[in-house]
Amino acid sequence: KNGVNGSDKPHKRVVVFDCRPERDVDATERVLDINGLDFNDFLQFVSKEFAIPSNETFVLTTTDRKGIDLDRYEELQQGNTLHLLQSEDQTLPAATKEHIVFLPHYDTLVQSGMYEYYASEGQKSLPYAFAELIDNALSATSHNTGVRTIDIRLLFDESLGKHAVVIMDNGCGMTSKQLNNWAVYRLSKFSRETGTFSSDHAGYVRPDPVPRSLNSDISYFGVGGKQAVFYIGQSTRMITKPAGSPDVHELIISKEEFERKERNKEDIYSGFIRNRKMGDSSHVSDDEERFLHGLISEEVGKDSFTAVVVTGVQPEHITFLKQDFHLWTRELAHLYHYYIHGLNGNDMKASYRNSDCVSNIDIQISLLEKFPKIPRMVNLREIDNDMQTLYINASADTFEFKACTDNEGTVEGVLRYHPFLYDRETYPEDPYAIQATEEDDEDSIVLNQARGKRPIFECFWNGRLIPYTTVSEFDWCAWPKKTGTVPAECYSRFSGALFTNDRFQVSTNKLTFMDLELQLKNKETLFTRIVNGQEQRVKIQKEFHQWLKTCHEKWDKQVKFRGFKGTIKRTDV
Amino acid sequence: KNGVNGSDKPHKRVVVFDCRPERDVDATERVLDINGLDFNDFLQFVSKEFAIPSNETFVLTTTDRKGIDLDRYEELQQGNTLHLLQSEDQTLPAATKEHIVFLPHYDTLVQSGMYEYYASEGQKSLPYAFAELIDNALSATSHNTGVRTIDIRLLFDESLGKHAVVIMDNGCGMTSKQLNNWAVYRLSKFSRETGTFSSDHAGYVRPDPVPRSLNSDISYFGVGGKQAVFYIGQSTRMITKPAGSPDVHELIISKEEFERKERNKEDIYSGFIRNRKMGDSSHVSDDEERFLHGLISEEVGKDSFTAVVVTGVQPEHITFLKQDFHLWTRELAHLYHYYIHGLNGNDMKASYRNSDCVSNIDIQISLLEKFPKIPRMVNLREIDNDMQTLYINASADTFEFKACTDNEGTVEGVLRYHPFLYDRETYPEDPYAIQATEEDDEDSIVLNQARGKRPIFECFWNGRLIPYTTVSEFDWCAWPKKTGTVPAECYSRFSGALFTNDRFQVSTNKLTFMDLELQLKNKETLFTRIVNGQEQRVKIQKEFHQWLKTCHEKWDKQVKFRGFKGTIKRTDV
Ligand SMILES: Nc1ncnc2c1ncn2[C@@H]1O[C@H](COP(=O)(O)OP(=O)(O)OP(=O)(O)O)[C@@H](O)[C@H]1O
Ligand SMILES: Nc1ncnc2c1ncn2[C@@H]1O[C@H](COP(=O)(O)OP(=O)(O)OP(=O)(O)O)[C@@H](O)[C@H]1O
Ligand SMILES: [Mg+2]
Ligand SMILES: [Mg+2]
């Protein structure tokens, strides 16, 4: 082979250290090219190179002290290190330095998401893999002037070839260099070089602060996309076109390719990007991928886009995606609530919609099965039973606040009051939650709590929900120790949301915050109330208490007297 | 450079594709060696190679359509791909294939543990990093005939050089090939080649089933050690000697080295193993590492060992390790309870100790600070306030059971009864738990539960605690729906432990099970009671109920009548 990375004539070089006793301090090292030599030639070559007298015996071993014999000689590989010894068990008079390579195994990519997207008992994990790809699409479309389209298509129609999951966006696309970088595991925006030339090197620029940190800058580690695609399936074709270039770039990474390269002892982390004109699907020869022709023909006329095409989709995933369509699309609507509904969320009562707060982000999901099954489609914005929608629309009043940490961390927060109306609490229940058992019901009645044991706050990072971290309460809004002017049950009538910027750290799978609660409960962290966008320089606890009192008086429509029957205490015997 | 991996004369090859319009279907590709050519030479070379008539204009661009001018020409690198075009914005008549390399970034190793060891609010994370190294030492010592020693030394004595954390074991050690494999991220025991030669290839052999799965086979993913050392510090020196070889092998991986290699455009994932005789510390020249001389001198006479020496220890970690010595050593004693105390755990009442059940695993921890500070030492076996010790010793009776799944998953379980004695429950409290707030206390009184809201089961994987997964209950031992023959409060008087084999999967950081509860609650999973090691072919629920009744009658010493006052219900208005 005489390609761009090969050299001109084949070599098989081994390094031999002279470790025979009573020599100089440093072991003498020779690089010997043994290509074409048989075992005897090799032994003679060694004798000559190290000037070994013909009456002196010697052995050659690996650094693991395996003697080199005829069989093992044949198996020696380029770069192996050998010790020249007087005897196999002789100690080394001086140290030797053995060159090694320790490339990460390809499971780094292939299995990256496998033992990470553990959800509460493996149930809801798939939506969080999709979320990583939506995160990327949100980042990519953040500078779009018009509508930002994120199109998730589940192509489960056998008549079009094998099952595929496609995530397409009309964002900025990637240059071939960026596409190459996409494939580099753990290459984050903080350490990335974006071009070939020094003039291209534009370091990461943190976006300016925006309300509720809805900055679309939802990438951090350089792993999300890879974890996601290998969690969903076994092979991924990235198709992308950056604005201002007529070319489309394509790259495939797949488990099968990795395995093939390993078998053939090829470089594991190398591959080819195909650069081609728009709409050209002439390279798609596999009949199993014929759905690609349609997909590629859609390219024509687009200024820039990215399509992530995942195949080899795990069968359990296909079942889940079909059967639980409502469930996982609702979970995605929940994760991206404020991106798809705008700053104020899905307030269905709002008689007018402030144009600043309306979102231009369309996240569409379509499930296409074989005729005569009818395609299912949903725009996440249409979903009206995600928890944030329920909270917002069951809210009679809100209390906004803000906190800052000393390392530029900002948190905006909102509390929403869900009043008692006539004969019932209006605090929303999760319609899909596992039916509470009898005892649990009893508990919450005993505790007089509409919220029950649920934590108060759901938490958003750069505007995106981090699903497994909740904050149960803060000091200033916790269940009161003593009876006050406000009935205790009012303390269970509010829900809340926190919006942090990325100075608060999340785990690589974006399922949990690292130390949000710890930082917020730090004594240094100061909370201020926000009224009409203005910080109020007053004690938050007092403000909150005042708000709660007002809420109770204004909104709780039938305040029923509840005789306090006293706590039943066990009389210890 | 003419070393073992270099080639004979320097090359700088670029690949040029002829993409001018109206050519043949496939773009013609040429590999051009441009070493030593100036820009003009290069242009002429291209003209000649592609037979471009002198009156025809052409441009050369990168695949990102950046035109190559004098400046950019200088920056071209070996392996770059260029397009030969008629004009910069012309479409590609045919696709080109661009060779790319996408090696994982070194943060794959350096940051591997950073956003994974998130503990409940970042508090207890460090012990879990140590645990990964203890896991490895347990595996390595599993075939020891004598005592298995795992020695954790915190060398925080500035007079001996910089701060270091050392984990040493007297296990099998590693050959240089195994040491090389150690450094390969994600290379698991399932896909590992252990030697250079085909005759060495011994695939992974699953250990035979043993009681409570205490098989010391606590490795799975090929990431634990690397995650742990880079979580603890910035640089690691592995020192190891395999049995049967006189040589010691040493390898350093460090963040600084990775950064240096990146700066110098050297191969990121290559390095050197030092092979040397025992006790030879002549290569330790850095005065900051003078503690190594002592460490290395201890090697002499050992048959095999491994020492993991971590430096660049994060200052917060040093503070935590010193200040919370009791806390984290107790947590380790908890994690490895059954390894250090044997099958039956730390039963301090046992008048005799069955020799089968006594452990030969010594995990010693020593904290060495500068004189006159007194060294602190503890053998984990001496710790008597970890939760398992408390449960075992507060237990009046036990109920053993077993479950098997259809994919060879086995779970052994034990329930322990903690009776009510005269005036109080004996269910152990966690002495270090954050003091329960008043309301919580009230709740558990209301609920009549000694256990409170705590889950019943702690869960062990191959004998090692997986700290963040608990199982709250099973159907057959859950709080009864109706009042039965046994007072309801007895259902809150038992704790439990589950012991699974590795057919149940854990997350890469070994902090959670993936789907233990889901699998166990599967209807196919059958539970059987175990009495004296024998499975009982009877309904578990009935057996359990019988046991509980007996426990209550036999052990609850003062059963107090509690008037049932009825549930206070809100009369809805
Ligand atoms: N749809 C897309 N459009 C444009 N660029 C993309 C797209 N998806 C990924 N990229 C590019 O590829 C890079 C790698 O994506 P990946 O999701 O693997 O990691 P990341 O987003 O950088 O970090 P994280 O681990 O937090 O997701 C992104 O930073 C971005 O530059
Ligand atoms: N103390 C030790 N003694 C001998 N061999 C060791 C030791 N520590 C590590 N090794 C070897 O190095 C390998 C890699 O260790 P590492 O902890 O990184 O991954 P692993 O144990 O294989 O898997 P896991 O990710 O589950 O920990 C081990 O499988 C083992 O072969
Ligand atoms: Mg991402
Ligand atoms: Mg390990």
Side-chain angles (χ1 to χ4, degrees):
Chain A
K1 277 201 320 187
N2 201 343
V4 64
N5 291 304
S7 73
D8 294 279
K9 79 182 179 64
H11 289 295
K12 191 179 188 180
R13 294 189 171 103
V14 297
V15 185
V16 181
F17 282 91
D18 186 356
C19 304
R20 291 169 299 162
E22 286 146 51
R23 311 252 134 202
D24 280 346
V25 182
D26 280 333
T28 322
E29 173 187 357
R30 288 269 193 293
V31 179
L32 306 182
D33 188 347
I34 61 170
N35 191 46
L37 300 186
D38 71 17
F39 186 47
N40 269 323
D41 295 344
F42 169 62
L43 291 179
Q44 283 185 7
F45 188 19
V46 171
S47 299
K48 193 173 130 251
E49 281 290 311
F50 292 93
I52 307 174
S54 56
N55 61 344
E56 205 180 294
T57 58
F58 68 91
V59 286
L60 285 155
T61 72
T62 64
T63 54
D64 291 342
R65 298 266 175 168
K66 305 249 181 212
I68 303 299
D69 55 18
L70 194 79
D71 289 342
R72 285 183 176 147
Y73 175 72
E74 299 300 328
E75 290 192 58
L76 283 183
Q77 281 161 31
Q78 163 73 11
N80 278 166
T81 297
L82 301 178
H83 286 169
L84 167 60
L85 300 166
Q86 199 174 62
S87 67
E88 261 187 40
D89 54 0
Q90 156 223 319
T91 55
L92 295 178
T96 66
K97 275 177 77 183
E98 173 179 7
H99 184 260
I100 60 158
V101 173
F102 50 96
L103 272 190
H105 189 271
Y106 60 81
D107 277 343
T108 301
L109 283 150
V110 171
Q111 299 223 338
S112 57
M114 224 67 95
Y115 299 90
E116 303 297 337
Y117 284 110
Y118 54 93
S120 43
E121 297 302 314
Q123 277 298 2
K124 290 200 285 182
S125 43
L126 197 56
Y128 306 133
F130 278 90
E132 289 286 357
L133 301 173
I134 296 176
D135 288 347
N136 288 347
L138 281 175
S139 292
T141 57
S142 64
H143 295 295
N144 281 23
T145 47
V147 62
R148 299 161 64 179
T149 308
I150 301 172
D151 208 357
I152 301 182
R153 299 191 201 168
L154 311 180
L155 305 179
F156 295 168
D157 177 351
E158 299 84 66
S159 68
L160 295 175
K162 57 188 166 193
H163 287 41
V165 168
V166 181
I167 294 92
M168 271 199 322
D169 67 70
N170 67 347
C172 59
M174 289 177 262
T175 64
S176 62
K177 176 72 179 175
Q178 288 166 336
L179 181 55
N180 184 350
N181 282 343
W182 171 85
V184 177
Y185 195 76
R186 274 279 177 184
L187 181 65
S188 73
K189 61 190 173 194
F190 305 107
S191 52
R192 193 148 49 207
E193 296 184 352
T194 47
T196 316
F197 307 110
S198 49
S199 53
D200 307 329
H201 293 182
Y204 170 66
V205 181
R206 187 174 290 275
D208 288 332
V210 292
R212 298 194 167 173
S213 299
L214 287 162
N215 55 31
S216 298
D217 189 28
I218 324 179
S219 72
Y220 207 86
F221 302 103
V223 309
K226 282 78 79 180
Q227 283 197 353
V229 297
F230 280 113
Y231 183 73
I232 299 171
Q234 309 240 358
S235 174
T236 298
R237 183 187 294 256
M238 298 289 291
I239 311 177
T240 189
K241 176 184 177 299
S245 155
D247 309 327
V248 173
H249 309 291
E250 266 192 39
L251 173 65
I252 297 174
I253 53 170
S254 79
K255 187 174 172 201
E256 207 182 325
E257 267 292 284
F258 281 126
E259 287 168 349
R260 190 190 56 71
K261 287 184 275 192
E262 176 168 75
R263 264 198 314 278
N264 301 346
K265 300 201 196 303
E266 291 175 33
D267 286 346
I268 295 288
Y269 296 103
S270 80
F272 290 92
I273 288 179
R274 168 174 289 264
N275 305 299
R276 59 164 175 82
K277 66 177 172 231
M278 278 191 279
D280 176 5
S281 63
S282 58
H283 57 299
V284 178
S285 52
D286 185 351
D287 197 40
E288 282 285 275
E289 299 192 304
R290 57 193 179 280
F291 59 84
L292 283 175
H293 295 294
L295 208 67
I296 290 173
S297 71
E298 287 179 37
E299 294 170 355
V300 181
K302 290 186 185 169
D303 186 42
S304 63
F305 67 88
T306 299
V308 184
V309 183
V310 185
T311 51
V313 182
Q314 314 293 339
E316 325 72 278
H317 291 341
I318 294 179
T319 313
F320 173 80
L321 290 170
K322 285 191 212 171
Q323 289 180 354
D324 295 291
F325 190 81
H326 281 302
L327 213 69
W328 64 265
T329 51
R330 175 173 174 268
E331 186 61 23
L332 288 179
H334 187 195
L335 253 64
Y336 297 102
H337 186 96
Y338 295 92
Y339 278 108
I340 57 182
H341 295 292
L343 211 45
N344 296 327
N346 188 17
D347 185 351
M348 300 191 285
K349 295 169 303 187
S351 52
Y352 64 97
R353 299 253 185 167
N354 181 332
S355 61
D356 283 357
C357 300
V358 166
S359 162
N360 63 340
I361 300 170
D362 270 331
I363 306 182
Q364 286 162 339
I365 300 181
S366 41
L367 168 61
L368 306 165
E369 292 180 84
K370 198 174 166 191
F371 184 84
K373 286 233 173 166
I374 294 158
R376 297 171 75 168
M377 298 205 192
V378 66
N379 184 314
L380 290 188
R381 202 179 292 119
E382 295 158 10
I383 292 175
D384 59 3
N385 63 347
D386 64 289
M387 287 315 291
Q388 283 296 320
T389 298
L390 298 184
Y391 289 134
I392 290 170
N393 291 286
S395 151
D397 216 327
T398 59
F399 179 88
E400 295 190 55
F401 59 93
K402 194 173 166 173
C404 297
T405 65
D406 41 17
N407 61 340
E408 295 180 62
T410 66
V411 185
E412 290 165 79
V414 60
L415 287 170
R416 301 193 170 99
Y417 194 76
H418 308 297
F420 184 88
L421 284 186
Y422 310 110
D423 59 348
R424 58 182 188 90
E425 296 286 356
T426 61
Y427 201 101
E429 289 295 330
D430 183 345
Y432 287 86
I434 299 114
Q435 207 54 51
T437 65
E438 271 173 55
E439 311 132 61
D440 286 350
D441 275 353
E442 257 172 61
D443 285 2
S444 55
I445 289 167
V446 170
L447 297 170
N448 278 337
Q449 291 192 6
R451 189 173 56 241
K453 291 166 195 161
R454 282 177 281 174
I456 298 175
F457 296 102
E458 301 201 307
C459 307
F460 295 79
W461 179 84
N462 279 359
R464 186 264 221 214
L465 184 76
I466 301 300
Y468 291 176
T469 292
T470 52
V471 170
S472 53
E473 61 184 24
F474 295 117
D475 276 353
W476 51 264
C477 62
W479 194 260
K481 297 257 181 280
K482 293 178 202 134
T483 328
T485 49
V486 182
E489 59 264 37
C490 296
Y491 283 83
S492 77
R493 293 196 179 131
F494 46 86
S495 66
L498 298 176
F499 302 90
T500 84
N501 65 3
D502 64 3
R503 298 294 177 160
F504 293 88
Q505 292 186 315
V506 292
S507 61
T508 25
N509 56 21
K510 303 206 181 86
L511 293 176
T512 54
F513 275 94
M514 302 291 287
D515 58 358
L516 177 63
E517 194 150 1
L518 203 73
Q519 282 204 51
L520 288 181
K521 294 196 168 162
N522 185 322
K523 300 240 156 64
E524 308 291 293
T525 305
L526 271 189
F527 287 87
T528 48
R529 180 176 187 184
I530 305 286
V531 175
N532 295 324
Q534 299 297 311
E535 296 195 24
Q536 309 288 303
R537 300 219 146 269
V538 278
K539 282 245 169 88
I540 186 102
Q541 180 142 19
K542 204 176 142 209
E543 286 287 297
F544 168 75
H545 193 261
Q546 186 54 50
W547 172 75
L548 196 63
K549 190 157 175 275
T550 314
C551 282
H552 173 56
E553 287 162 3
K554 193 163 158 196
W555 303 110
D556 287 340
K557 277 299 160 51
Q558 183 77 304
V559 189
K560 188 183 44 63
F561 175 73
R562 291 230 211 60
F564 180 66
K565 307 225 169 116
T567 320
I568 302 166
K569 284 248 182 199
R570 296 208 330 245
T571 343
D572 289 338
V573 185
Chain B
K1 277 202 320 190
N2 202 344
V4 64
N5 292 302
S7 73
D8 295 279
K9 81 184 180 57
H11 289 296
K12 190 180 191 178
R13 292 187 174 107
V14 296
V15 185
V16 181
F17 282 91
D18 186 356
C19 305
R20 291 170 297 162
E22 285 146 51
R23 313 248 134 203
D24 281 348
V25 182
D26 280 332
T28 322
E29 174 187 357
R30 288 268 192 295
V31 180
L32 305 183
D33 188 347
I34 61 170
N35 190 46
L37 299 188
D38 72 15
F39 187 48
N40 270 324
D41 295 345
F42 169 62
L43 290 180
Q44 282 186 6
F45 188 20
V46 171
S47 297
K48 194 175 127 251
E49 281 289 310
F50 291 94
I52 307 175
S54 57
N55 62 344
E56 208 181 290
T57 59
F58 68 91
V59 287
L60 286 155
T61 71
T62 64
T63 55
D64 290 342
R65 298 268 174 166
K66 304 250 185 214
I68 303 299
D69 55 19
L70 195 80
D71 289 344
R72 286 184 174 146
Y73 175 71
E74 299 299 329
E75 290 192 56
L76 283 183
Q77 282 161 30
Q78 163 72 10
N80 278 167
T81 297
L82 301 178
H83 286 168
L84 167 60
L85 300 166
Q86 199 174 61
S87 67
E88 261 187 38
D89 55 359
Q90 158 224 318
T91 54
L92 295 177
T96 66
K97 275 177 77 183
E98 174 178 6
H99 184 260
I100 60 158
V101 172
F102 51 95
L103 272 189
H105 189 270
Y106 60 80
D107 277 343
T108 301
L109 284 150
V110 171
Q111 300 223 337
S112 56
M114 224 66 95
Y115 299 90
E116 303 297 336
Y117 284 111
Y118 56 91
S120 44
E121 297 300 314
Q123 278 297 1
K124 289 200 286 184
S125 42
L126 197 55
Y128 306 132
F130 279 90
E132 289 286 356
L133 301 172
I134 296 176
D135 288 347
N136 288 346
L138 281 176
S139 293
T141 57
S142 63
H143 296 294
N144 280 23
T145 46
V147 63
R148 299 160 65 178
T149 308
I150 301 171
D151 207 358
I152 300 181
R153 300 191 199 167
L154 311 180
L155 306 179
F156 295 168
D157 176 352
E158 299 84 65
S159 68
L160 295 176
K162 57 188 166 193
H163 287 40
V165 168
V166 182
I167 294 92
M168 272 201 320
D169 67 69
N170 67 346
C172 59
M174 288 177 264
T175 63
S176 63
K177 176 72 179 174
Q178 286 166 336
L179 181 55
N180 183 349
N181 283 342
W182 170 84
V184 177
Y185 195 76
R186 275 277 175 186
L187 181 65
S188 73
K189 61 190 173 195
F190 305 106
S191 51
R192 194 149 45 208
E193 296 183 353
T194 47
T196 315
F197 307 110
S198 47
S199 53
D200 306 329
H201 292 184
Y204 169 66
V205 181
R206 187 174 289 275
D208 288 333
V210 291
R212 296 195 168 172
S213 299
L214 287 162
N215 55 30
S216 298
D217 189 29
I218 325 180
S219 72
Y220 207 87
F221 302 104
V223 307
K226 282 78 79 180
Q227 283 196 353
V229 297
F230 279 114
Y231 183 74
I232 299 170
Q234 309 241 356
S235 175
T236 297
R237 184 188 294 257
M238 298 290 292
I239 311 177
T240 189
K241 177 184 178 299
S245 155
D247 309 327
V248 173
H249 309 292
E250 265 191 43
L251 174 64
I252 297 175
I253 54 170
S254 78
K255 188 175 170 201
E256 207 181 325
E257 267 291 285
F258 281 127
E259 286 168 349
R260 190 190 57 71
K261 286 185 273 191
E262 175 168 75
R263 264 197 314 278
N264 301 346
K265 299 199 196 309
E266 292 175 32
D267 286 346
I268 295 290
Y269 295 103
S270 80
F272 290 93
I273 287 178
R274 168 174 289 264
N275 306 300
R276 58 165 176 82
K277 66 176 173 236
M278 277 192 281
D280 175 5
S281 64
S282 58
H283 57 299
V284 178
S285 52
D286 185 351
D287 197 41
E288 283 285 276
E289 298 192 305
R290 56 191 179 280
F291 59 86
L292 283 175
H293 295 294
L295 209 68
I296 289 174
S297 71
E298 288 178 37
E299 294 170 356
V300 181
K302 290 185 184 168
D303 186 42
S304 63
F305 67 89
T306 299
V308 184
V309 183
V310 185
T311 51
V313 183
Q314 314 294 337
E316 326 73 277
H317 290 343
I318 295 180
T319 312
F320 173 81
L321 290 170
K322 286 192 212 170
Q323 291 180 354
D324 295 292
F325 190 81
H326 280 304
L327 213 68
W328 65 266
T329 51
R330 175 174 176 267
E331 186 61 23
L332 289 178
H334 187 195
L335 254 62
Y336 297 102
H337 186 95
Y338 295 92
Y339 279 108
I340 56 184
H341 295 292
L343 210 46
N344 296 328
N346 188 17
D347 185 352
M348 300 190 287
K349 295 169 302 188
S351 51
Y352 65 97
R353 298 252 185 167
N354 181 332
S355 62
D356 283 356
C357 299
V358 166
S359 164
N360 63 340
I361 300 170
D362 270 331
I363 306 181
Q364 286 162 339
I365 300 181
S366 41
L367 169 60
L368 306 166
E369 291 180 86
K370 199 175 166 190
F371 184 83
K373 287 231 172 166
I374 293 158
R376 298 171 74 168
M377 297 205 193
V378 66
N379 184 315
L380 290 189
R381 203 180 290 119
E382 295 159 10
I383 291 175
D384 60 4
N385 63 346
D386 64 288
M387 288 314 294
Q388 283 297 319
T389 298
L390 299 184
Y391 289 135
I392 289 170
N393 292 286
S395 153
D397 215 327
T398 59
F399 178 88
E400 294 190 56
F401 58 93
K402 194 173 166 174
C404 297
T405 64
D406 42 16
N407 61 340
E408 298 180 60
T410 67
V411 184
E412 290 166 78
V414 59
L415 287 171
R416 302 192 168 99
Y417 194 76
H418 309 297
F420 184 90
L421 285 185
Y422 309 109
D423 59 347
R424 58 182 187 91
E425 296 287 355
T426 60
Y427 200 101
E429 289 295 329
D430 182 345
Y432 286 86
I434 298 113
Q435 207 54 53
T437 64
E438 270 173 54
E439 310 132 61
D440 287 350
D441 276 353
E442 254 172 63
D443 285 2
S444 55
I445 291 168
V446 170
L447 296 169
N448 279 337
Q449 292 193 6
R451 189 172 56 242
K453 289 165 196 162
R454 281 177 283 173
I456 298 175
F457 296 101
E458 300 200 309
C459 307
F460 295 79
W461 179 84
N462 278 359
R464 186 264 222 213
L465 183 75
I466 301 299
Y468 292 177
T469 292
T470 52
V471 170
S472 53
E473 61 184 23
F474 295 117
D475 275 353
W476 49 264
C477 62
W479 193 259
K481 296 255 180 281
K482 293 178 203 136
T483 328
T485 50
V486 182
E489 57 265 36
C490 296
Y491 284 82
S492 77
R493 292 195 178 131
F494 46 85
S495 66
L498 298 176
F499 302 90
T500 83
N501 65 3
D502 64 2
R503 298 294 177 161
F504 292 88
Q505 292 186 315
V506 293
S507 62
T508 25
N509 55 21
K510 303 205 180 87
L511 293 176
T512 54
F513 276 94
M514 302 292 288
D515 59 357
L516 177 63
E517 192 150 3
L518 204 73
Q519 282 203 51
L520 289 181
K521 296 199 167 160
N522 185 324
K523 301 238 155 64
E524 309 291 293
T525 305
L526 272 188
F527 287 87
T528 49
R529 181 177 187 181
I530 305 286
V531 175
N532 295 326
Q534 299 298 310
E535 296 195 26
Q536 308 289 303
R537 300 220 146 268
V538 277
K539 282 246 169 86
I540 185 103
Q541 181 143 20
K542 204 177 143 206
E543 285 288 298
F544 168 75
H545 193 260
Q546 186 54 51
W547 173 75
L548 196 63
K549 191 156 174 275
T550 314
C551 283
H552 174 56
E553 288 161 3
K554 193 162 158 197
W555 304 110
D556 287 341
K557 278 298 158 52
Q558 183 76 305
V559 189
K560 185 182 46 65
F561 175 73
R562 288 232 211 62
F564 180 65
K565 306 228 172 112
T567 319
I568 303 166
K569 284 248 182 196
R570 292 205 336 241
T571 342
D572 289 338
V573 185

